[in-house]
């Protein structure tokens, strides 16, 4: 089997391929010697041919020497690094066949370094000064493998000089202005690949060293040499400009990414983020003290490293953001990005000011942060909805039991608002915008909960059970209505975050709570007004003018009822007392508008007016002691009393105008009923007085009053009563008379 695989050109020739071209024979034998680790041929060999200029210098071994490795049996084409790292065994028997009896000399690795190599090594170590040329002789060009050996020994400056020279030879030997992609061009590309790998390895090793790193000087000199070479080559040269400074910046970023990727995943997200921050601060501290001073100022080394670490950390956070995270981890990641990183990294005493000067911007892009916030809001909403529904169900199971108001309030209102408050307090600490969105979402959750709460309260209060005693229903109604103030206060707090769409949910929350309050108040006052009804029926009659027993009983029942309202919280208490105040006055005025009594003389009008004034004063004092929040109701009875006292038609018209102003829901029929009680017979005067009400009704453009301000709209008048010119007892006697009509006489019937 032949030692070497022949090329197609050699296969066409007959005989020994080495005999046709002695130079080729020499080159091939020299390559074989290098394969087995031998020194160049001995002195008995003839010297290599001279260059075309005849200077006698040694020519650069061409890339065929390097390419011969690719044609060896069992070897395939590989990169420069793979070939250089693979050791070549010595095959002495093969060399004896090729060299005969000539003695072998030491291998390349065993040769002592030349003066030039020592100077190159020294220059690479200290990074300064001009390398001396050979002592009295020009440096000979190196082969591709020798250049590769320089790269592996990290004599990077000398290796880069040789590569630049090899590239220049490639350009000079090319017949066209633009060198073709021949063997030499491929060798140059492979050597640059190896050189850059070593350069960026040095860059990556400088920061972890934690001390001044001399090999960085070689990197800087190589960058400067390459920038000078970029300036010498014309535009359009393949591979030029190499822009190594830009590649250096990219290498710094890759090295930063590798450093942060080496942070071992800790037990939780918080520990991992803390470890990433610690690694970043520690590395940038090393850059500030040891790495950045090695670079020239125009490189802006610290800024390059800061931006590289910032981008690397952003990639780490972006990867974490893509993972499915629980609600606590979402809060933690958002808070670390918005608060912890600016505080502990950008505000670090050693590197914080330098980092802030770089204007690095946020770690996560705005759309990624908004996506995280939306995910957190959705997860919190789903979690809280389930939790508050469970709390409502647990609370509903206890409503039928004997439970105090305080226990129910703490068991439902406190726990539900506590579930919401935990997120309302946490979200604004991250960003105000996130807090506003979270508050709006939780306001929707609260509205849905309050609607469910309202329906359950309605079902419970409307069907409390046949065996439930009145006192038990009163206690449960008080306990349920006491839950409304905390919910109302919390709904107001959520709406105050300022979301543009929060007004409608706020209105819905208040409407649900108002309905719950009305339901509970109805249960609380139902028994009271059932007890008061018989006594209200005794008012505005002739016996009422002489006895105050009915009214005194009304006052006593109201006072006794309010004593049971002490467990109520202040807000529902005031609402309930105001409602009782309104309904008591409605029931008090109702018999007056039913015209149970008609004044037949001025003396009788004076007695009725005096009685109305005295009882109006007692009602005002009673509800003032009960802290009623509806003092506007105190004027209704005095206004009606004035319509009975005044004599002048113009004064009556003015008083009717004031009455309509204070109570916009008063109508013509109501005033007409009061005039009937007054006993006003003159139709002309009645029309003048009632015309005031009619004119105000036509000019009314405001919508209907709310229920808590309605008064006369709940008072119905069956029909307008006209005052007759005789007394009611006389009318009663007349109604009992049987008036006989004359029957028509039948035909043929005789008149008696």
């Amino acid at each position: 089997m032949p030692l070497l695989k022949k090329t197609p050109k050699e296969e066409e020739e007959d005989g020994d391929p080495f005999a046709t071209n002695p130079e080729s024979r020499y080159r091939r034998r020299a390559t074989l010697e290098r394969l087995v680790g031998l020194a160049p041929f001995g002195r008995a060999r003839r010297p290599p041919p001279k260059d075309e200029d005849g200077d006698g210098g040694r020519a650069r071994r061409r890339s065929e020497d390097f390419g011969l490795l690719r044609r060896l049996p069992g070897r395939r084409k590989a990169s420069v690094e793979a070939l250089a790292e693979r050791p070549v065994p010595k095959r002495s028997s093969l060399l004896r066949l090729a060299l005969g009896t000539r003695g072998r000399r030491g291998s390349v690795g065993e040769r002592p370094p030349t003066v030039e190599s020592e100077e190159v090594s020294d220059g690479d170590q200290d990074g300064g000064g001009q390398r001396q040329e050979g002592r009295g002789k020009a440096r000979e060009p190196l082969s591709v493998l020798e250049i590769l050996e320089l790269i592996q020994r990290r004599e990077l400056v000398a290796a880069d000089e040789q590569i630049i020279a090899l590239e220049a030879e490639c350009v000079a030997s090319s017949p066209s202005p633009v060198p073709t992609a021949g063997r030499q061009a491929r060798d140059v590309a492979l050597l640059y690949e190896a050189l850059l790998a070593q350069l960026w390895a040095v860059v990556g090793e400088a920061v972890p060293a934690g001390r001044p790193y001399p090999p960085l000087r070689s990197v800087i000199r190589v960058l400067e040499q390459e920038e000078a070479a970029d300036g010498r080559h014309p535009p359009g040269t393949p591979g030029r400009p190499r822009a190594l400074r830009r590649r250096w910046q990219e290498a710094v970023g890759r090295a930063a990414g590798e450093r942060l990727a080496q942070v071992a995943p800790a037990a939780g997200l918080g520990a991992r983020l803390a470890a990433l921050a610690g690694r970043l601060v520690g590395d940038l501290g090393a850059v500030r003290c040891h790495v950045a001073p090695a670079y020239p100022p125009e490189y802006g080394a610290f800024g390059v490293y800061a931006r590289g670490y910032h981008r690397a950390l952003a990639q780490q956070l972006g990867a974490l953001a893509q993972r499915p995270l629980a609600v606590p981890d979402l809060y933690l990641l958002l808070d670390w990005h918005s608060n912890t990183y600016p505080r502990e990294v950008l505000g670090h005493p050693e590197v914080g000011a330098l980092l802030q000067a770089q204007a690095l911007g946020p770690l996560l892009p705005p759309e990624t942060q908004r996506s995280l916030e939306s995910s957190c809001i959705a997860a919190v909403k789903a979690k809280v909805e389930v939790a508050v529904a469970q709390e409502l169900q647990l609370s509903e199971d206890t409503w039928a039991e004997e439970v105090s108001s305080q226990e129910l309030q703490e068991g439902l209102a406190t726990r539900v608002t506590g579930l919401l408050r935990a997120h309302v307090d946490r979200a604004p600490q991250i960003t105000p915008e996130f807090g506003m969105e979270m508050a709006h979402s939780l306001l929707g959750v609260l509205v849905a909960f309050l609607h469910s709460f309202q329906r359950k309260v309605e079902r419970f209060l409307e069907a409390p059970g046949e065996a439930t005693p009145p006192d038990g229903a009163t206690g449960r109604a008080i306990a349920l209505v006491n839950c409304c103030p905390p919910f109302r206060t919390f709904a107001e707090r959520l709406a105050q975050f300022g979301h543009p769409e929060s007004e409608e949910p706020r209105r819905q929350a208040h409407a649900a709570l108002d309905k719950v309050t009305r339901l509970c108040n109805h249960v609380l006052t139902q028994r009271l007004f059932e007890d008061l009804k018989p006594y209200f029926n005794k008012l505005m009659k002739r016996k009422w003018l002489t006895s105050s027993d009915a009214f005194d009983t009304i006052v006593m029942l109201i006072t006794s009822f309010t004593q049971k309202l002490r467990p109520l919280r202040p807000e529902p208490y005031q609402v309930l007392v105001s409602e009782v105040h309104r309904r008591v006055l409605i029931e008090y005025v109702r018999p007056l508008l039913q015209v149970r009594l008609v004044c037949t003389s001025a003396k009788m009008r004076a007695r009725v007016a005096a009685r109305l004034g005295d009882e109006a004063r007692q009602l005002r004092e009673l509800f003032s002691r009960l802290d009623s929040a509806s003092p506007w109701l105190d004027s209704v009875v005095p206004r009606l009393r004035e319509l009975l006292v005044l004599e002048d038609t113009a004064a009556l018209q003015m008083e009717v105008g004031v009455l309509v102003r204070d109570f916009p829901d008063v109508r013509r029929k109501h005033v007409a009923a009061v005039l009937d009680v007054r006993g006003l017979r003159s139709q002309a005067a009645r029309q003048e007085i009632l015309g005031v009400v009619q004119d105000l009704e036509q000019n009314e453009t405001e919508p209907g009053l709310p229920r808590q301000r309605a008064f006369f709209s709940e008072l119905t008048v069956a029909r307008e009563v006209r005052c007759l010119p005789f007394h009611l007892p006389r009318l009663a006697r007349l109604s009992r008379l049987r008036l006989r009509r004359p029957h028509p006489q039948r035909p043929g019937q005789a008149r008696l």
Side-chain angles (χ1 to χ4, degrees):
M1 179 177 180
L3 175 63
L4 299 176
K5 183 179 179 181
K6 295 182 179 181
T7 62
K9 182 177 179 181
E10 293 170 345
E11 291 177 353
E12 295 176 359
E13 299 176 358
D14 296 332
D16 186 6
F18 294 94
T20 58
N21 190 345
E23 181 180 355
S24 176
R25 177 187 182 95
Y26 176 78
R27 286 200 305 270
R28 294 178 185 276
R29 293 186 65 181
T31 304
L32 290 175
E33 290 174 346
R34 194 166 295 280
L35 284 174
V36 295
L38 297 177
F41 294 119
R43 291 188 296 273
R45 282 291 176 184
R46 60 179 180 177
K50 298 181 180 181
D51 294 342
E52 296 178 358
D53 299 338
D55 56 359
R58 182 181 178 184
R60 183 189 302 274
R61 284 184 288 277
R62 301 182 62 81
S63 60
E64 285 82 353
D65 300 337
F66 181 60
L68 183 60
L69 298 175
R70 308 169 189 261
R71 297 197 295 271
L72 289 176
R75 294 187 180 271
R76 298 183 180 274
K77 187 175 180 180
S79 63
V80 176
E81 292 86 350
L83 290 173
E85 292 175 358
R86 186 176 301 169
V88 181
K90 296 182 180 181
R91 300 178 63 178
S92 57
S93 59
L94 176 63
L95 292 176
R96 278 198 297 271
L97 292 175
L99 302 177
T101 58
R102 294 181 177 86
R104 294 180 301 168
R105 308 182 68 178
S107 65
V108 177
E110 296 171 354
R111 284 182 294 172
T114 60
V115 175
E116 292 85 349
S117 64
E118 292 176 357
E119 294 172 357
V120 170
S121 177
D122 295 340
D124 290 342
Q125 292 297 325
D126 56 17
Q130 299 289 336
R131 292 179 1 200
Q132 299 179 359
E133 299 296 334
R135 296 180 181 178
K137 62 179 181 179
R139 177 183 299 279
E140 64 179 13
L142 301 180
S143 67
V144 172
L145 288 178
E146 289 173 329
I147 297 174
L148 180 61
E149 187 178 358
L150 289 178
I151 294 174
Q152 292 175 339
R153 293 202 305 264
R154 288 196 173 177
E155 299 179 12
L156 303 179
V157 178
D160 184 57
E161 291 176 350
Q162 292 290 331
I163 297 172
I164 293 174
L166 180 60
E167 185 180 22
E169 293 178 9
C170 180
V171 173
S173 62
S174 177
S176 61
V178 178
T180 58
R183 188 181 300 275
Q184 273 190 327
R186 291 194 298 271
D187 291 344
V188 170
L190 292 173
L191 288 173
Y192 264 117
E193 181 183 346
L195 177 66
L196 293 180
Q198 291 296 328
L199 287 174
W200 309 148
V202 172
V203 170
E205 296 166 0
V207 175
R211 54 181 174 78
Y213 200 60
L216 271 180
R217 301 174 184 174
S218 300
V219 174
I220 298 170
R221 288 190 57 187
V222 170
L223 296 180
E224 293 173 348
Q225 290 178 174
E226 288 296 329
E227 288 182 350
D230 287 342
R232 291 193 300 267
H233 285 79
T237 303
R240 292 290 179 178
R242 299 196 182 277
L244 285 197
R245 187 178 295 193
R246 176 181 57 80
R247 296 188 183 184
W248 163 71
Q249 295 175 355
E250 297 172 355
V252 169
R254 289 193 299 272
E258 293 173 359
R259 286 286 294 167
L260 295 185
Q262 293 171 2
V263 176
L269 180 62
R272 179 171 178 79
L273 292 174
L276 288 173
R279 174 64 60 86
L280 186 144
V281 171
D283 285 2
L284 290 181
V287 170
R288 181 182 67 88
C289 296
H290 307 301
V291 177
Y295 290 91
E298 59 271 15
Y299 278 62
F302 186 85
V304 172
Y305 277 88
R307 288 188 291 273
Y309 273 88
H310 185 78
R311 286 191 297 268
L313 184 58
Q315 292 175 357
Q316 292 285 331
L317 288 186
L320 292 174
Q322 299 301 321
R323 295 165 46 187
L325 298 174
V327 171
D329 289 341
L330 286 170
Y331 273 127
L332 180 62
L333 184 58
L334 287 169
D335 184 66
W336 195 89
H337 171 258
S338 300
N339 299 316
T340 306
Y341 177 74
R343 181 178 63 251
E344 297 184 1
V345 177
L346 299 182
H348 195 272
E350 295 183 1
V351 298
L354 297 175
L355 288 174
Q356 293 176 8
Q358 303 299 323
L360 300 175
L363 287 172
L364 295 177
E367 55 273 13
T368 302
Q369 182 172 2
R370 286 193 295 269
S371 176
L372 283 175
E373 292 176 353
S374 300
S375 300
C376 184
I377 290 173
V380 168
K381 182 178 180 180
K383 182 179 179 181
V384 171
E385 283 177 342
V386 174
V388 296
Q390 292 176 351
E391 290 294 339
L392 181 57
Q393 185 61 45
L394 293 174
S395 178
E396 185 184 12
D397 295 340
T398 64
W399 290 353
E401 303 172 0
E402 292 296 333
V403 58
S404 66
S405 173
Q406 185 69 20
E407 291 175 352
L408 182 58
Q409 178 186 344
E410 293 178 354
L412 182 62
T414 302
R415 285 204 295 267
V416 169
T417 55
L419 289 171
L420 301 175
R421 186 177 292 107
H423 302 284
V424 175
D425 294 341
R426 180 74 185 276
Q429 296 176 0
I430 298 175
T431 59
E433 296 78 10
F434 179 50
M436 181 178 64
E437 294 294 336
M438 180 65 74
H440 180 65
S441 175
L442 294 179
L443 181 58
V445 174
L446 181 60
V447 169
F449 167 81
L450 291 178
H451 284 310
S452 180
F453 176 62
Q454 168 201 324
R455 291 190 296 268
K456 290 180 180 296
V457 169
E458 187 174 3
R459 287 196 301 266
F460 175 74
L461 293 180
E462 289 181 353
E466 298 179 356
T468 303
D471 294 340
T474 301
R476 291 166 189 169
I478 291 175
L480 290 172
V481 77
N482 274 343
C483 295
C484 294
F487 290 139
R488 195 183 301 273
T489 302
F490 198 77
E492 283 293 330
R493 180 187 175 188
L494 294 178
Q496 288 174 359
F497 277 85
H499 195 279
E501 300 178 0
S502 62
E503 184 59 30
E504 180 61 22
R506 172 184 171 276
R507 186 193 63 78
Q508 294 177 4
H510 283 283
L513 292 172
D514 290 342
K515 190 166 185 179
V516 172
T517 302
R518 287 196 300 271
L519 290 170
C520 295
N521 288 347
H522 176 73
V523 173
L524 293 173
T525 59
Q526 183 178 9
R527 182 65 180 274
L528 170 66
F529 284 95
E530 289 177 357
D531 296 338
L532 292 176
K533 186 176 180 179
Y535 300 99
F536 281 123
N537 290 332
K538 296 180 180 181
L539 300 179
M540 309 303 167
K541 295 181 179 180
R542 286 189 174 274
K543 188 176 181 180
W544 166 72
L545 291 175
T546 59
S547 175
S548 62
D549 294 342
F551 183 80
D552 294 340
T553 304
I554 291 173
V555 173
M556 181 190 66
L557 290 175
I558 294 174
T559 304
S560 175
F561 167 76
T562 56
Q563 299 299 321
K564 302 177 182 180
L565 303 180
R566 292 179 179 178
L568 277 175
R569 294 172 63 89
E571 179 182 343
Y573 173 81
Q574 286 191 350
V575 173
L576 180 59
V577 169
S578 298
E579 180 64 15
V580 171
H581 189 182
R582 188 182 70 89
R583 290 188 60 184
V584 165
L585 285 175
I586 287 176
E587 297 302 326
Y588 182 83
V589 174
R590 189 186 303 277
L592 179 66
L593 299 184
Q594 290 176 352
V595 196
R596 296 180 181 178
L597 183 68
V598 176
C599 298
T600 58
S601 63
K603 182 179 179 181
M604 187 175 181
R605 288 201 309 270
R607 291 177 60 191
V608 172
R611 193 58 181 265
L612 288 175
D614 181 64
E615 292 180 353
R617 176 186 57 78
Q618 294 185 52
L619 290 175
R620 182 177 65 251
E621 293 175 354
L622 170 64
F623 286 104
S624 176
R625 291 194 305 269
L626 298 179
D627 296 329
S628 172
S630 300
W632 60 276
L633 293 168
D634 296 332
S635 63
V636 61
V637 177
R639 295 297 178 196
L640 297 177
R641 172 185 172 278
E642 291 296 323
L643 294 179
L644 300 178
V645 174
L646 297 175
E647 297 291 342
D648 187 51
T649 302
L652 288 172
Q653 288 178 326
M654 293 182 60
E655 190 64 30
V656 169
V658 174
L659 178 66
V660 175
R661 181 198 64 189
D662 294 344
F663 299 91
D665 58 341
V666 68
R667 293 296 178 261
R668 189 174 184 272
K669 58 185 179 181
H670 300 125
V671 179
V674 177
L675 295 179
D676 290 338
V677 174
R678 175 188 173 89
L680 183 63
R681 304 185 184 94
S682 174
Q683 293 298 320
R686 289 174 67 92
Q687 293 300 327
E688 291 180 6
I689 296 171
L690 295 177
V692 176
V693 183
Q694 186 174 358
D695 293 341
L696 294 176
E697 287 179 357
Q698 293 176 355
N699 297 330
E700 182 181 2
T701 58
E702 296 182 359
L705 293 174
R707 185 178 184 277
Q708 60 271 20
R709 293 286 297 181
F711 188 86
F712 285 96
S713 60
E714 297 189 18
L715 292 171
T716 59
V717 178
R719 61 186 180 87
E720 187 174 346
V721 180
R722 301 295 183 182
C723 290
L724 301 177
F726 42 76
H727 298 295
L728 288 178
R730 182 179 178 185
L731 178 62
R733 290 194 301 269
L734 290 175
S735 64
R736 289 193 296 267
L737 295 178
R738 290 183 164 221
L739 301 177
R740 297 185 178 184
R741 292 185 177 183
H743 297 282
Q745 185 177 1
R746 296 179 181 178
Q749 183 178 5
R751 183 183 299 269
L752 296 177

